[in-house]
PDB file of all heavy atoms in Angstrom:
ATOM      1  N   GLU L 129      74.665  77.325  87.118  1.00  0.00           N
ATOM      2  CA  GLU L 129      74.741  76.248  86.091  1.00  0.00           C
ATOM      3  C   GLU L 129      73.294  76.089  85.561  1.00  0.00           C
ATOM      4  O   GLU L 129      72.357  76.143  86.334  1.00  0.00           O
ATOM      5  CB  GLU L 129      75.270  75.037  86.766  1.00  0.00           C
ATOM      6  CG  GLU L 129      75.805  73.963  85.808  1.00  0.00           C
ATOM      7  CD  GLU L 129      76.147  72.648  86.593  1.00  0.00           C
ATOM      8  OE1 GLU L 129      76.607  72.820  87.789  1.00  0.00           O
ATOM      9  OE2 GLU L 129      75.955  71.614  86.042  1.00  0.00           O
ATOM     10  N   ARG L 179      65.510  67.066  92.212  1.00  0.00           N
ATOM     11  CA  ARG L 179      66.403  66.079  91.643  1.00  0.00           C
ATOM     12  C   ARG L 179      67.893  66.413  91.873  1.00  0.00           C
ATOM     13  O   ARG L 179      68.691  65.554  92.276  1.00  0.00           O
ATOM     14  CB  ARG L 179      66.179  65.894  90.157  1.00  0.00           C
ATOM     15  CG  ARG L 179      64.901  65.131  89.731  1.00  0.00           C
ATOM     16  CD  ARG L 179      64.625  65.220  88.217  1.00  0.00           C
ATOM     17  NE  ARG L 179      63.471  64.417  87.908  1.00  0.00           N
ATOM     18  CZ  ARG L 179      63.530  63.097  87.759  1.00  0.00           C
ATOM     19  NH1 ARG L 179      64.657  62.441  87.787  1.00  0.00           N
ATOM     20  NH2 ARG L 179      62.410  62.484  87.394  1.00  0.00           N
ATOM     21  N   VAL L 180      68.254  67.674  91.681  1.00  0.00           N
ATOM     22  CA  VAL L 180      69.572  68.068  91.824  1.00  0.00           C
ATOM     23  C   VAL L 180      70.009  68.009  93.308  1.00  0.00           C
ATOM     24  O   VAL L 180      71.099  67.520  93.638  1.00  0.00           O
ATOM     25  CB  VAL L 180      69.826  69.533  91.246  1.00  0.00           C
ATOM     26  CG1 VAL L 180      71.221  70.050  91.681  1.00  0.00           C
ATOM     27  CG2 VAL L 180      69.741  69.527  89.780  1.00  0.00           C
ATOM     28  N   MET L 181      69.051  68.465  94.218  1.00  0.00           N
ATOM     29  CA  MET L 181      69.474  68.397  95.649  1.00  0.00           C
ATOM     30  C   MET L 181      69.687  66.996  96.112  1.00  0.00           C
ATOM     31  O   MET L 181      70.595  66.677  96.892  1.00  0.00           O
ATOM     32  CB  MET L 181      68.300  69.030  96.473  1.00  0.00           C
ATOM     33  CG  MET L 181      68.332  70.514  96.445  1.00  0.00           C
ATOM     34  SD  MET L 181      67.185  71.283  97.643  1.00  0.00           S
ATOM     35  CE  MET L 181      65.683  71.295  96.722  1.00  0.00           C
ATOM     36  N   LEU L 182      68.853  66.086  95.523  1.00  0.00           N
ATOM     37  CA  LEU L 182      69.001  64.602  95.918  1.00  0.00           C
ATOM     38  C   LEU L 182      70.287  64.002  95.334  1.00  0.00           C
ATOM     39  O   LEU L 182      70.846  63.036  95.906  1.00  0.00           O
ATOM     40  CB  LEU L 182      67.788  63.778  95.426  1.00  0.00           C
ATOM     41  CG  LEU L 182      66.584  64.008  96.272  1.00  0.00           C
ATOM     42  CD1 LEU L 182      65.362  63.447  95.594  1.00  0.00           C
ATOM     43  CD2 LEU L 182      66.702  63.314  97.658  1.00  0.00           C
ATOM     44  N   SER L 183      70.744  64.520  94.159  1.00  0.00           N
ATOM     45  CA  SER L 183      71.874  63.809  93.587  1.00  0.00           C
ATOM     46  C   SER L 183      73.239  64.526  93.703  1.00  0.00           C
ATOM     47  O   SER L 183      74.273  64.000  93.413  1.00  0.00           O
ATOM     48  CB  SER L 183      71.555  63.631  91.999  1.00  0.00           C
ATOM     49  OG  SER L 183      71.442  64.894  91.429  1.00  0.00           O
ATOM     50  N   GLN L 184      73.138  65.806  94.203  1.00  0.00           N
ATOM     51  CA  GLN L 184      74.470  66.539  94.323  1.00  0.00           C
ATOM     52  C   GLN L 184      74.624  67.018  95.786  1.00  0.00           C
ATOM     53  O   GLN L 184      73.636  67.102  96.559  1.00  0.00           O
ATOM     54  CB  GLN L 184      74.459  67.744  93.429  1.00  0.00           C
ATOM     55  CG  GLN L 184      74.653  67.400  91.965  1.00  0.00           C
ATOM     56  CD  GLN L 184      74.645  68.610  91.070  1.00  0.00           C
ATOM     57  OE1 GLN L 184      74.970  69.705  91.536  1.00  0.00           O
ATOM     58  NE2 GLN L 184      74.202  68.435  89.852  1.00  0.00           N
ATOM     59  N   LYS L 185      75.822  67.323  96.106  1.00  0.00           N
ATOM     60  CA  LYS L 185      76.091  67.906  97.472  1.00  0.00           C
ATOM     61  C   LYS L 185      76.042  69.413  97.352  1.00  0.00           C
ATOM     62  O   LYS L 185      76.327  69.982  96.332  1.00  0.00           O
ATOM     63  CB  LYS L 185      77.463  67.474  97.904  1.00  0.00           C
ATOM     64  CG  LYS L 185      77.544  66.025  98.259  1.00  0.00           C
ATOM     65  CD  LYS L 185      78.710  65.804  99.268  1.00  0.00           C
ATOM     66  CE  LYS L 185      78.612  64.451  99.955  1.00  0.00           C
ATOM     67  NZ  LYS L 185      78.852  63.302  99.061  1.00  0.00           N
ATOM     68  N   ALA L 186      75.681  70.075  98.472  1.00  0.00           N
ATOM     69  CA  ALA L 186      75.791  71.574  98.561  1.00  0.00           C
ATOM     70  C   ALA L 186      77.248  71.891  98.464  1.00  0.00           C
ATOM     71  O   ALA L 186      78.085  71.130  98.903  1.00  0.00           O
ATOM     72  CB  ALA L 186      75.161  72.069  99.854  1.00  0.00           C
ATOM     73  N   PRO L 187      77.684  73.062  98.010  1.00  0.00           N
ATOM     74  CA  PRO L 187      76.803  74.141  97.485  1.00  0.00           C
ATOM     75  C   PRO L 187      76.231  73.860  96.199  1.00  0.00           C
ATOM     76  O   PRO L 187      76.887  73.195  95.325  1.00  0.00           O
ATOM     77  CB  PRO L 187      77.768  75.341  97.463  1.00  0.00           C
ATOM     78  CG  PRO L 187      79.200  74.813  97.327  1.00  0.00           C
ATOM     79  CD  PRO L 187      79.131  73.433  98.032  1.00  0.00           C
ATOM     80  N   ILE L 188      75.036  74.473  95.920  1.00  0.00           N
ATOM     81  CA  ILE L 188      74.353  74.303  94.662  1.00  0.00           C
ATOM     82  C   ILE L 188      73.971  75.676  94.092  1.00  0.00           C
ATOM     83  O   ILE L 188      73.536  76.526  94.927  1.00  0.00           O
ATOM     84  CB  ILE L 188      73.025  73.458  94.898  1.00  0.00           C
ATOM     85  CG1 ILE L 188      73.424  71.981  95.196  1.00  0.00           C
ATOM     86  CG2 ILE L 188      72.132  73.515  93.567  1.00  0.00           C
ATOM     87  CD1 ILE L 188      72.233  71.207  95.652  1.00  0.00           C
ATOM     88  N   ARG L 189      74.182  75.881  92.818  1.00  0.00           N
ATOM     89  CA  ARG L 189      73.786  77.172  92.261  1.00  0.00           C
ATOM     90  C   ARG L 189      73.298  76.908  90.818  1.00  0.00           C
ATOM     91  O   ARG L 189      74.101  76.731  89.912  1.00  0.00           O
ATOM     92  CB  ARG L 189      74.975  78.094  92.282  1.00  0.00           C
ATOM     93  CG  ARG L 189      74.621  79.604  92.185  1.00  0.00           C
ATOM     94  CD  ARG L 189      75.779  80.500  92.195  1.00  0.00           C
ATOM     95  NE  ARG L 189      76.444  80.569  93.523  1.00  0.00           N
ATOM     96  CZ  ARG L 189      77.731  80.602  93.689  1.00  0.00           C
ATOM     97  NH1 ARG L 189      78.578  80.488  92.623  1.00  0.00           N
ATOM     98  NH2 ARG L 189      78.289  80.703  94.877  1.00  0.00           N
ATOM     99  N   ILE L 190      71.987  76.769  90.638  1.00  0.00           N
ATOM    100  CA  ILE L 190      71.471  76.312  89.366  1.00  0.00           C
ATOM    101  C   ILE L 190      70.305  77.206  88.874  1.00  0.00           C
ATOM    102  O   ILE L 190      69.575  77.751  89.730  1.00  0.00           O
ATOM    103  CB  ILE L 190      70.984  74.821  89.413  1.00  0.00           C
ATOM    104  CG1 ILE L 190      69.963  74.663  90.526  1.00  0.00           C
ATOM    105  CG2 ILE L 190      72.191  73.917  89.567  1.00  0.00           C
ATOM    106  CD1 ILE L 190      69.237  73.317  90.405  1.00  0.00           C
ATOM    107  N   LEU L 216      67.940  78.167  92.028  1.00  0.00           N
ATOM    108  CA  LEU L 216      68.119  77.591  93.412  1.00  0.00           C
ATOM    109  C   LEU L 216      69.567  77.863  93.766  1.00  0.00           C
ATOM    110  O   LEU L 216      70.456  77.551  93.037  1.00  0.00           O
ATOM    111  CB  LEU L 216      67.832  76.128  93.373  1.00  0.00           C
ATOM    112  CG  LEU L 216      68.143  75.339  94.663  1.00  0.00           C
ATOM    113  CD1 LEU L 216      67.116  75.725  95.812  1.00  0.00           C
ATOM    114  CD2 LEU L 216      68.179  73.874  94.442  1.00  0.00           C
ATOM    115  N   VAL L 217      69.733  78.385  95.014  1.00  0.00           N
ATOM    116  CA  VAL L 217      71.082  78.479  95.608  1.00  0.00           C
ATOM    117  C   VAL L 217      71.103  77.871  96.963  1.00  0.00           C
ATOM    118  O   VAL L 217      70.249  78.251  97.808  1.00  0.00           O
ATOM    119  CB  VAL L 217      71.552  79.954  95.731  1.00  0.00           C
ATOM    120  CG1 VAL L 217      72.832  80.079  96.452  1.00  0.00           C
ATOM    121  CG2 VAL L 217      71.727  80.573  94.291  1.00  0.00           C
ATOM    122  N   ILE L 218      71.949  76.905  97.200  1.00  0.00           N
ATOM    123  CA  ILE L 218      72.116  76.339  98.558  1.00  0.00           C
ATOM    124  C   ILE L 218      73.602  76.445  99.018  1.00  0.00           C
ATOM    125  O   ILE L 218      74.444  76.076  98.234  1.00  0.00           O
ATOM    126  CB  ILE L 218      71.727  74.842  98.499  1.00  0.00           C
ATOM    127  CG1 ILE L 218      70.409  74.554  97.839  1.00  0.00           C
ATOM    128  CG2 ILE L 218      71.788  74.212  99.946  1.00  0.00           C
ATOM    129  CD1 ILE L 218      69.281  74.321  98.753  1.00  0.00           C
ATOM    130  N   ASP L 219      73.742  76.962 100.169  1.00  0.00           N
ATOM    131  CA  ASP L 219      75.107  77.083 100.681  1.00  0.00           C
ATOM    132  C   ASP L 219      75.018  77.450 102.157  1.00  0.00           C
ATOM    133  O   ASP L 219      73.924  77.532 102.719  1.00  0.00           O
ATOM    134  CB  ASP L 219      75.884  78.247  99.898  1.00  0.00           C
ATOM    135  CG  ASP L 219      77.397  78.027  99.964  1.00  0.00           C
ATOM    136  OD1 ASP L 219      77.886  77.241 100.763  1.00  0.00           O
ATOM    137  OD2 ASP L 219      78.045  78.607  99.082  1.00  0.00           O
ATOM    138  N   CYS L 298      65.083  66.383 100.813  1.00  0.00           N
ATOM    139  CA  CYS L 298      66.034  66.173  99.703  1.00  0.00           C
ATOM    140  C   CYS L 298      67.429  65.901 100.150  1.00  0.00           C
ATOM    141  O   CYS L 298      68.368  65.987  99.329  1.00  0.00           O
ATOM    142  CB  CYS L 298      66.037  67.411  98.786  1.00  0.00           C
ATOM    143  SG  CYS L 298      64.427  67.648  97.909  1.00  0.00           S
ATOM    144  N   GLY L 299      67.514  65.551 101.407  1.00  0.00           N
ATOM    145  CA  GLY L 299      68.876  65.048 101.939  1.00  0.00           C
ATOM    146  C   GLY L 299      69.890  66.137 102.227  1.00  0.00           C
ATOM    147  O   GLY L 299      71.080  65.850 102.266  1.00  0.00           O
ATOM    148  N   ILE L 300      69.446  67.359 102.531  1.00  0.00           N
ATOM    149  CA  ILE L 300      70.376  68.403 102.846  1.00  0.00           C
ATOM    150  C   ILE L 300      70.053  68.866 104.322  1.00  0.00           C
ATOM    151  O   ILE L 300      68.848  69.086 104.650  1.00  0.00           O
ATOM    152  CB  ILE L 300      70.237  69.598 101.915  1.00  0.00           C
ATOM    153  CG1 ILE L 300      70.772  69.166 100.505  1.00  0.00           C
ATOM    154  CG2 ILE L 300      70.983  70.804 102.411  1.00  0.00           C
ATOM    155  CD1 ILE L 300      70.555  70.114  99.429  1.00  0.00           C
ATOM    156  N   ASP L 301      71.080  68.926 105.139  1.00  0.00           N
ATOM    157  CA  ASP L 301      70.885  69.275 106.580  1.00  0.00           C
ATOM    158  C   ASP L 301      70.578  70.742 106.740  1.00  0.00           C
ATOM    159  O   ASP L 301      71.418  71.594 106.508  1.00  0.00           O
ATOM    160  CB  ASP L 301      72.207  68.903 107.269  1.00  0.00           C
ATOM    161  CG  ASP L 301      72.041  69.117 108.848  1.00  0.00           C
ATOM    162  OD1 ASP L 301      71.021  69.712 109.263  1.00  0.00           O
ATOM    163  OD2 ASP L 301      72.943  68.659 109.570  1.00  0.00           O
ATOM    164  N   TYR L 305      72.905  74.106 106.131  1.00  0.00           N
ATOM    165  CA  TYR L 305      72.813  74.849 104.911  1.00  0.00           C
ATOM    166  C   TYR L 305      71.412  75.576 104.903  1.00  0.00           C
ATOM    167  O   TYR L 305      70.441  75.208 105.522  1.00  0.00           O
ATOM    168  CB  TYR L 305      72.788  73.845 103.713  1.00  0.00           C
ATOM    169  CG  TYR L 305      74.167  73.243 103.470  1.00  0.00           C
ATOM    170  CD1 TYR L 305      74.487  72.027 103.889  1.00  0.00           C
ATOM    171  CD2 TYR L 305      75.197  74.025 102.874  1.00  0.00           C
ATOM    172  CE1 TYR L 305      75.683  71.426 103.695  1.00  0.00           C
ATOM    173  CE2 TYR L 305      76.419  73.502 102.583  1.00  0.00           C
ATOM    174  CZ  TYR L 305      76.735  72.231 103.025  1.00  0.00           C
ATOM    175  OH  TYR L 305      77.922  71.717 102.826  1.00  0.00           O
TER     176      TYR L 305
END
Side-chain angles (χ1 to χ4, degrees):
E129 196 187 327
R179 285 171 175 277
V180 169
M181 283 190 273
L182 282 165
S183 64
Q184 287 178 26
K185 289 205 165 65
I188 291 169
R189 201 180 288 139
I190 56 170
L216 173 74
V217 170
I218 309 260
D219 206 340
C298 293
I300 291 172
D301 185 349
Y305 290 102

